[in-house]
Amino acid sequence: MFVGYIRYMSYVVKYTAGAAPKFSSRLLAILSCLGMGVPMNIFAAGNGEGVLDYLGTDTTIISILTSNVLLLLAILIRLQQMRHDLSRKSNALEQSKQHLQVVGDNLPSITIFQLERSHQNNFKFHYISKGYQRVLGLDPNWVLQDARIALEHIYEADIPALKQAYRSAMKNLEPADLEIRVLDVSGKLKWLRVSAVPHLEKNALIWDGFMQDISDSKNIENALSEEKHNLQNLFETIDDFLLVCDMNGNLLHTNPSVRSRLEYPKEELDEMSLFELYPENLRTEIYQIIALMQSEQSTICGLPLQMKTGDTISAEMNIFQGSWKNQKAIFGVARDTTHRRQTETALRESQQMLQLIMDTIPLSVFWKDKDSIYLGGNKAFLQSCGIESLNNLIGKNPYDLFDPSTAPGVIKRDQEVIAGNQPFFNLLQSHRLSDGSIGWREISKIPLQDENGRAVGVLGVWRDVTEQNLAKEHLKRTLEDMERFNQLMRVRERRTLELKAEVNHLLSELDRKVKYQTTADGLK
């Protein structure tokens, strides 16, 4: 009977082990109370007299055994419950580990790892995710077998930083957070950010951490740094005045040109405003410009800057909104226009002088583009074409100035000069004057060339040679008349010589003295 009871209670234990936690806990409490309550009832039944005798009875022995069995059952149920909880936690831990591995293997540009360094100074990876292969092209299984493969790809100059991180971990268990360079399988340099937390386990130092590929951001950072460095060099070396002020006009920064050209020390400029860099009588306009910049993106200021000595420098400043140290600011880029204005004045005077010379010389000068469109000419050319002003000439073509029979020839000669890129000189051309008579011009044309030597237009010069031609014609006719007179005189002289010869012949026949001297040369 007792054995059957024990067998029954074992079934109870198995059943309760798989029961709900709340039910199992309640049954465990009941069994514990029963197991402790039975002996107490036995002692209470004896009334304190003859206890030892009373314990010797069968009923007492059965009661004690029953209580022990109940306590044993309670212990077994508790142990079974602990085993069940441990199994459940182990399964949850294994699932978490699998989930972590799945996440680690699929994180873009991130590698999760666990690295051990034993007391024999040997390195070994316990785990490394598949991201390592995406970053460096190395199979993680190779690295798990031999950690030296990973260490050999570290850029040599960054190895001291890793050693320092190891020493800090050994001494203070200090976490590692550093950026290192590595070489992938193709030899390409990449940047990794390594973050790891160390802990000691059986005299071995173990790091749990991750590596992130930051090559793209590092390259962008380096490019930005280089751009900033180049911009700073430009800012410091350019001859133009470069300055930055806040939205109220207080100077925040100036380049060396401002300090050297305006002769202000940097410390003094740092305490000044933009308004103080202009003459006092012009500051109202500068106030208006700064007020305008509160709403406008850019503007231009042509007011002169004032030096510390009180002298002024002609300048033209481009003003625009920007950002300086994460705050809205006004930037100014000014250029000294003194030399430019002097050059413009000299050029204007030179052009006036050239125009005066062209208007004074007794030659007609004109110039055209490659399509024979007139771009300019001197006063003699305008007068010869019957044009009142230069504005009435610019944009016209030969058909606007000459009769339809003359214009095609003019354009043809222009195109010959441009096509051949060669000049021609002293071409004589006739034209009809306003009175219907014929006039004559001597024309020369040369190609206008660009900086590459290509012909882009024509410069022409002509002079009126009508009077010269008339003088030549008159001289020609005079020479012809003189030639005819000379011929008549030669005929008369020949006839005179012949008469003298005949007289001499008659005198000779009469035996008289010859009267005239003749020569055969005169007859030739």
Side-chain angles (χ1 to χ4, degrees), residues 226-454:
E226 182 179 356
E227 183 178 353
K228 180 180 178 181
H229 178 71
N230 292 336
L231 185 61
Q232 183 68 23
N233 287 341
L234 176 64
F235 199 86
E236 296 297 326
T237 58
I238 195 170
D239 289 334
D240 291 344
F241 304 125
L242 301 178
L243 50 88
V244 185
C245 62
D246 62 20
M247 300 304 293
N248 295 320
N250 298 311
L251 289 175
L252 301 176
H253 188 75
T254 56
N255 73 330
S257 290
V258 175
R259 301 191 287 270
S260 62
R261 300 290 299 281
L262 301 184
E263 300 179 0
Y264 284 101
K266 184 179 184 305
E267 296 75 14
E268 187 173 349
L269 283 170
D270 291 341
E271 301 297 327
M272 294 174 61
S273 67
L274 177 64
F275 314 113
E276 298 175 81
L277 296 181
Y278 288 89
E280 190 170 355
N281 62 324
L282 300 177
R283 290 179 185 175
T284 301
E285 298 182 46
I286 297 300
Y287 287 130
Q288 294 174 350
I289 291 175
I290 295 301
L292 178 66
M293 291 304 298
Q294 307 300 317
S295 57
E296 297 293 331
Q297 291 296 318
S298 64
T299 188
I300 296 176
C301 174
L303 302 177
L305 292 168
Q306 181 173 270
M307 302 172 62
K308 185 175 182 179
T309 59
D311 297 331
T312 58
I313 296 177
S314 298
E316 184 177 89
M317 181 179 293
N318 292 317
I319 303 176
F320 55 92
Q321 276 195 28
S323 177
W324 181 263
K325 297 182 179 180
N326 298 323
Q327 293 183 352
K328 288 183 66 175
I330 298 174
F331 288 76
V333 182
R335 173 162 295 180
D336 184 351
T337 59
T338 303
H339 179 68
R340 188 188 73 185
R341 294 189 177 185
Q342 291 175 347
T343 303
E344 290 175 350
T345 301
L347 178 60
R348 184 167 54 254
E349 293 175 352
S350 175
Q351 289 175 338
Q352 292 174 349
M353 180 65 69
L354 179 60
Q355 187 67 40
L356 179 62
I357 293 173
M358 287 196 304
D359 290 342
T360 303
I361 61 176
L363 298 175
S364 295
V365 182
F366 57 89
W367 51 96
K368 315 175 190 178
D369 64 13
K370 62 180 181 179
D371 297 319
S372 295
I373 303 299
Y374 286 96
L375 302 177
N378 67 345
K379 185 178 294 185
F381 179 75
L382 297 179
Q383 291 176 349
S384 64
C385 295
I387 299 176
E388 295 180 357
S389 67
L390 184 62
N391 292 332
N392 294 333
L393 171 67
I394 297 174
K396 287 184 167 51
N397 60 52
Y399 284 98
D400 299 320
L401 304 183
F402 308 108
D403 59 77
S405 61
T406 304
V410 174
I411 296 175
K412 179 181 178 182
R413 284 188 291 273
D414 291 342
Q415 297 307 310
E416 289 175 351
V417 171
I418 293 173
N421 204 3
Q422 294 293 329
F424 69 81
F425 300 99
N426 303 329
L427 174 67
L428 191 62
Q429 182 182 18
S430 64
H431 65 282
R432 187 171 297 278
L433 299 176
S434 58
D435 59 0
S437 61
I438 300 298
W440 294 89
R441 296 184 182 128
E442 191 174 70
I443 303 175
S444 298
K445 292 184 179 180
I446 62 175
L448 294 175
Q449 299 175 337
D450 61 12
E451 63 275 7
N452 296 318
R454 295 189 296 264

Side-chain angles (χ1 to χ4, degrees), residues 473-486:
E473 289 294 329
H474 180 70
L475 178 61
K476 181 179 179 182
R477 288 194 295 271
T478 300
L479 291 176
E480 290 176 350
D481 292 342
M482 290 181 65
E483 181 64 22
R484 285 195 296 272
F485 178 77
N486 185 46

Side-chain angles (χ1 to χ4, degrees), residues 2 56 86 90 97 108 157 159 193 197 209 211 213 256 259 272 308 316 350 363 369 421 426 435 465 469-470 486 495:
F2 181 74
L86 182 61
S90 297
K97 181 179 178 181
I159 292 179
R193 179 169 186 174
V197 178
M211 296 179 289
D213 184 2
R259 301 191 287 270
M272 294 174 61
K308 185 175 182 179
E316 184 177 89
S350 175
L363 298 175
D369 64 13
N421 204 3
N426 303 329
D435 59 0
V465 294
N469 275 6
L470 292 176
N486 185 46
R495 182 59 182 160

Side-chain angles (χ1 to χ4, degrees), residues 11-249:
Y11 288 128
V12 173
V13 170
K14 291 182 180 179
Y15 171 75
T16 55
K22 289 184 178 180
F23 174 77
S24 177
S25 300
R26 290 174 182 174
L27 181 59
L28 179 60
I30 293 171
L31 291 175
S32 300
C33 292
L34 290 174
M36 296 177 64
V38 170
M40 295 299 293
N41 292 333
I42 294 174
F43 284 110
N47 295 321
E49 298 179 356
V51 176
L52 293 177
D53 293 337
Y54 182 76
L55 290 174
T57 64
D58 291 338
T59 303
T60 303
I61 293 173
I62 290 173
S63 298
I64 293 173
L65 290 175
T66 300
S67 67
N68 289 334
V69 168
L70 291 173
L71 289 173
L72 180 60
L73 287 174
I75 294 173
L76 289 175
I77 290 173
R78 180 59 182 165
L79 291 175
Q80 189 70 12
Q81 184 181 4
M82 292 175 63
R83 179 181 177 185
H84 178 73
D85 291 342
L86 182 61
S87 177
R88 181 169 51 82
K89 291 180 180 179
S90 297
N91 291 335
L93 181 61
E94 184 64 27
Q95 290 180 355
S96 299
K97 181 179 178 181
Q98 291 176 357
H99 291 162
L100 180 62
Q101 289 181 355
V102 170
V103 172
D105 289 341
N106 291 278
L107 284 174
S109 70
I110 292 180
T111 303
I112 298 176
F113 69 90
Q114 186 181 71
L115 177 63
E116 175 189 335
R117 190 177 191 278
S118 65
H119 58 279
Q120 291 90 4
N121 290 333
N122 294 323
F123 286 94
K124 180 181 180 181
F125 281 99
H126 292 298
Y127 172 74
I128 187 166
S129 65
K130 294 181 180 179
Y132 193 74
Q133 186 168 10
R134 289 193 294 271
V135 174
L136 297 182
L138 294 173
D139 190 339
N141 294 322
W142 300 350
V143 180
L144 288 173
Q145 295 174 7
D146 188 356
R148 290 176 298 179
I149 295 176
L151 299 178
E152 289 172 354
H153 282 262
I154 298 174
Y155 199 66
E156 185 176 359
D158 292 337
I159 292 179
L162 286 175
K163 291 182 177 180
Q164 179 59 40
Y166 166 71
R167 288 192 291 267
S168 299
M170 287 294 296
K171 184 177 180 180
N172 303 318
L173 291 181
E174 183 178 334
D177 188 7
L178 66 159
E179 296 177 355
I180 62 173
R181 289 162 290 181
V182 294
L183 298 174
D184 64 10
V185 290
S186 64
K188 184 179 179 180
L189 184 69
K190 292 191 173 182
W191 281 89
L192 296 181
R193 179 169 186 174
V194 181
S195 297
V197 178
H199 67 275
L200 291 174
E201 187 176 304
K202 297 180 180 179
N203 295 326
L205 185 65
I206 296 178
W207 283 278
D208 293 300
F210 69 90
M211 296 179 289
Q212 182 180 7
D213 184 2
I214 58 171
S215 301
D216 292 340
S217 61
K218 202 70 178 177
N219 291 335
I220 294 174
E221 181 182 338
N222 291 337
L224 290 175
S225 177
E226 182 179 356
E227 183 178 353
K228 180 180 178 181
H229 178 71
N230 292 336
L231 185 61
Q232 183 68 23
N233 287 341
L234 176 64
F235 199 86
E236 296 297 326
T237 58
I238 195 170
D239 289 334
D240 291 344
F241 304 125
L242 301 178
L243 50 88
V244 185
C245 62
D246 62 20
M247 300 304 293
N248 295 320

